[in-house]
Amino acid sequence: MSLKYQAVMWNRQKKIYDSVLIAGVVLYLGLFSGLGAIFHPNATAETLLIRGFGTAALLLLHIILSIGPLCRLNPRFLPLLYNRRHLGVTMFILALAHGGFSIVQFHALGDVNPLVSVLAGETRYTSLSDFPFQPLGLAALLILFLMAATSHDFWLTNLTPPVWKALHMLVYVAYGLIVLHVVLGALQAETSPVLAALLGVGLAWVLILHLLAARKEKLPDEKTYPAAADGYVNVCAVSEIPEKCAHVALIGGERVAIFKYDGKISAISNVCQHQNGPLGEGRIIDGLVTCPWHGFQYRPQDGASPEPFKEKVPTFNVKVIGGRVWVHPQPNPPGTAVEPARIGE
Amino acid sequence: MIRPLRRRHRRIISVLAVLLPLAFIAGIASRKSIPAMAEIPPAIRPAAPEFTHLIFEQNDLWGQFDITTRVYADTLPPSRLAVELHPQRYLEYPDLLVYWSAGAAGAAKIPPQEAFLIGVLSGREKGLFLLPAPALETDGSVILYSLAQQQRIATAALPSHSILSGGNPR
Amino acid sequence: MPVMLADILILLAAIYLCIGLLFAIPFAFFGAGQIDPTARKATAGFKLIIIPGTMALWPLLAFRWLKGVAEPPEEKNPHRLAARGPENNPAREGKG
């Protein structure tokens, strides 16, 4: 929730998050350079930096990609999601340093433009072991740039969350390119089984986590609800909804969050206006539906954020008959007040 | 996320879950062994059977580098000499060129102008290099120079020419 | 990739980003506040931080600024489209 844009809306949680992040990156780079200098005394400082930045970016990318599915599988990981964009920007800076040093080291000493040398220096596209792996890294770096450059809320608002999310889902394309860049590049020269095993485990971890989360996510989208003559659909029993929490159901082409609080039932669109977070997985705090992702808040009765904030989500007409919750699938315009259904009436 | 993006997300993950493991396995399976220059150009390659007389051997001629150095002669007294360099640990330098230079060879980054290029050394491969004729008449050094890094990596002074040309085994 | 193709690609990318940088400076000071009211009272740090993204997406932003767009667009999701009613929802209209 912001009334004016700043570079970063700092708060205590973000400061702790970023301190841990920066300390972790500095510690990793220090350890990598120190151990590298001991075990590879002939390696130059540039080589150690290229490897250090590259492996740090790769490790951080695996952490970043794990956060989303971990949060879908267990809400205890949600604090990691809160400031994930700073992880992404840090990862881009590490990858940029890796790419920059590599281009200077391997391409800047000739009489050809270094970037042309990256793109056209190697052309054996038909060979796996000699495949031009550097253009793959450059393409991934371009995607990471686009994501880092558009990470501010200004872009989220102006591109709209679905377009912004679609743009940022390019991270999977970047991940694929980076895995190929490493397998066809560094792992062709470094034949130690440990390095290949580490990347293999990382790849398996990311893919298995995503497949598990995708399977869990698919279930609520497959259930359909029968409609009565007045158009209302019978969703669930009141008793199925925990107090100050929601039942989530796919109604009207998207998920609806049906909240129970203070003896009342209200239904709003499950899609947070900020980053399309799942409102139905949040709780009612201080009388307001609170998004589990970044804490954006909405009144359950009208789907509007309290003044002075302006976010609004569509609301749904709802009624309770015989202990069952009925929701009308036609959404009301965002911010429309709807009389909550009283439990027991 | 909204439903169309959840669907797209599932599709992307399904495609990656098939393609990336396949690419990973294919990439690892296609790895070559570490490239090493086993062959040196015939013009400067001494035929090993010609050099059967060992006249000098030492293990600590190269400072921090663990390289065994042997000098062989074709006959006694020698008419031609060859130096054998055998790295005991992997040399982490690409394009390592071997030069012989008359005298102490100085300490400049690049070998002296008049130095003779006698071959290339790579990884842990043993290399036998024909020494030029002046090696029988003047003291000299062997220089390892990294073409990629454009700098001298190490220099080792060979025994004096009188010892080498005398052909006395040590 | 042929060297000529690489040359052309890099030249086009450089031209695109140079135009983007020239556009980004006035946009950060004036344009951003024009197309998004929240950006009117923005800090200097914000103006600096949107420059790389503006360099990447300048054609879209230039179009909105020139067109006089005064508010960010509303997102399109099934609930919001349905809530606008059939007259504002091409998907529903199409299905009659």
Side-chain angles (χ1 to χ4, degrees), chain A residues 1 3 16 24 28 40 60 89 91 93 100 124 133 149 166 180 189 194 198 200 219 228 237-238 257-258 283 294 325:
Chain A
M1 294 184 187
L3 298 171
I16 294 172
Y28 177 85
H40 298 280
L60 198 49
V89 173
M91 197 271 288
I93 292 168
R124 281 176 278 184
F133 67 97
L180 292 176
V194 177
L198 278 176
L219 294 175
V238 171
I258 303 152
R283 295 175 55 82
H294 300 94
V325 178

Side-chain angles (χ1 to χ4, degrees), chain B residues 51-132:
Chain B
F51 291 88
T52 48
H53 304 281
L54 176 67
I55 54 176
F56 171 79
E57 178 173 0
Q58 201 155 326
N59 291 324
D60 56 357
L61 217 53
W62 293 91
Q64 59 166 316
F65 295 97
D66 199 359
I67 301 173
T68 302
T69 309
R70 297 186 185 91
V71 178
Y72 289 95
D74 55 347
T75 55
L76 289 178
S79 64
R80 288 193 302 163
L81 294 172
V83 62
E84 182 190 88
L85 303 180
H86 187 184
Q88 301 301 311
R89 280 190 299 155
Y90 195 84
L91 288 173
E92 293 182 339
Y93 291 95
D95 304 331
L96 215 46
L97 301 182
V98 186
Y99 288 85
W100 179 86
S101 172
K109 265 182 85 174
I110 56 171
Q113 190 77 35
E114 59 280 3
F116 290 82
L117 173 66
I118 57 174
V120 294
L121 196 61
S122 175
R124 287 191 60 187
E125 296 290 327
K126 192 195 300 183
L128 184 67
F129 309 107
L130 186 63
L131 288 176

Side-chain angles (χ1 to χ4, degrees), chain A residues 5 158 251 269 312 330, chain C residues 36 41 64 79-80 82 92:
Chain A
Y5 291 128
N158 283 277
I251 301 168
S269 179
K312 289 174 193 163
Q330 170 61 40
Chain C
D36 181 351
K41 286 186 252 166
R64 286 199 188 157
H79 284 168
R80 286 180 187 267
R92 285 170 130 225

Side-chain angles (χ1 to χ4, degrees), chain A:
Chain A
M1 294 184 187
S2 60
L3 298 171
K4 83 170 188 182
Y5 291 128
Q6 298 173 21
V8 180
M9 297 264 289
W10 288 113
N11 58 30
R12 187 168 171 271
Q13 198 179 343
K14 279 188 191 173
K15 283 179 184 165
I16 294 172
Y17 197 109
D18 282 14
S19 305
V20 172
L21 168 63
I22 290 167
V25 168
V26 170
L27 186 69
Y28 177 85
L29 290 176
L31 273 177
F32 189 94
S33 310
L35 294 176
I38 292 169
F39 290 110
H40 298 280
N42 300 333
T44 62
E46 293 96 319
T47 303
L48 285 177
L49 282 175
I50 288 170
R51 292 177 183 176
F53 283 129
T55 52
L58 187 61
L59 184 63
L60 198 49
L61 180 58
H62 279 85
I63 293 171
I64 292 168
L65 287 177
S66 304
I67 292 174
L70 280 175
C71 291
R72 308 307 303 147
L73 295 169
N74 190 332
R76 275 188 299 181
F77 290 100
L78 278 167
L80 291 176
L81 187 87
Y82 178 69
N83 210 16
R84 186 171 52 170
R85 278 183 275 179
H86 287 200
L87 289 185
V89 173
T90 307
M91 197 271 288
F92 164 69
I93 292 168
L94 290 168
L96 182 67
H98 166 77
F101 276 109
S102 302
I103 288 172
V104 169
Q105 172 99 330
F106 300 117
H107 297 275
L109 297 173
D111 53 3
V112 176
N113 177 331
L115 288 173
V116 173
S117 173
V118 170
L119 291 177
E122 183 60 81
T123 53
R124 281 176 278 184
Y125 287 96
T126 50
S127 158
L128 269 182
S129 56
D130 296 317
F131 195 87
F133 67 97
Q134 292 174 85
L136 301 173
L138 185 63
L141 194 58
L142 280 178
I143 293 176
L144 298 179
F145 162 72
L146 197 58
M147 292 174 59
T150 57
S151 67
H152 194 276
D153 267 359
F154 171 78
W155 302 107
L156 182 56
T157 307
N158 283 277
L159 292 173
T160 72
V163 175
W164 187 86
K165 277 271 166 199
L167 180 72
H168 284 236
M169 270 162 60
L170 284 174
V171 72
Y172 294 109
V173 179
Y175 181 64
L177 289 168
I178 288 168
V179 168
L180 292 176
H181 171 75
V182 176
V183 170
L184 302 177
L187 288 187
Q188 296 296 316
E190 296 286 341
T191 50
S192 154
V194 177
L195 295 172
L198 278 176
L199 184 66
V201 168
L203 178 61
W205 164 260
V206 165
L207 291 175
I208 290 170
L209 270 185
H210 276 83
L211 289 171
L212 288 175
R215 196 177 65 169
K216 189 181 175 193
E217 277 292 291
K218 205 174 173 192
L219 294 175
D221 285 351
E222 285 179 338
K223 193 168 179 186
T224 53
Y225 301 91
D230 59 0
Y232 278 78
V233 295
N234 183 349
V235 182
C236 63
V238 171
S239 58
E240 288 176 49
I241 313 176
E243 178 66 17
K244 296 207 187 317
C245 290
H247 179 88
V248 176
L250 190 83
I251 301 168
E254 186 50 79
R255 291 181 187 174
V256 173
I258 303 152
F259 279 92
K260 179 164 93 176
Y261 58 102
D262 307 332
K264 294 179 279 189
I265 299 281
S266 287
I268 61 174
S269 179
N270 190 52
V271 184
C272 178
Q273 188 179 338
H274 172 232
Q275 213 182 99
N276 289 175
L279 292 176
E281 292 168 35
R283 295 175 55 82
I284 292 195
I285 299 172
D286 298 332
L288 298 166
V289 172
T290 306
C291 181
W293 282 8
H294 300 94
F296 276 56
Q297 291 189 305
Y298 305 87
R299 282 189 293 267
Q301 308 87 331
D302 62 5
S305 294
E307 288 291 331
F309 303 107
K310 292 176 180 149
E311 284 78 14
K312 289 174 193 163
V313 294
T315 56
F316 291 82
N317 294 344
V318 61
K319 59 186 182 183
V320 173
I321 301 171
R324 304 277 313 167
V325 178
W326 294 75
V327 176
H328 199 282
Q330 170 61 40
N332 300 306
T336 304
V338 172
E339 187 64 28
R342 303 265 166 194
I343 300 169
E345 280 183 10

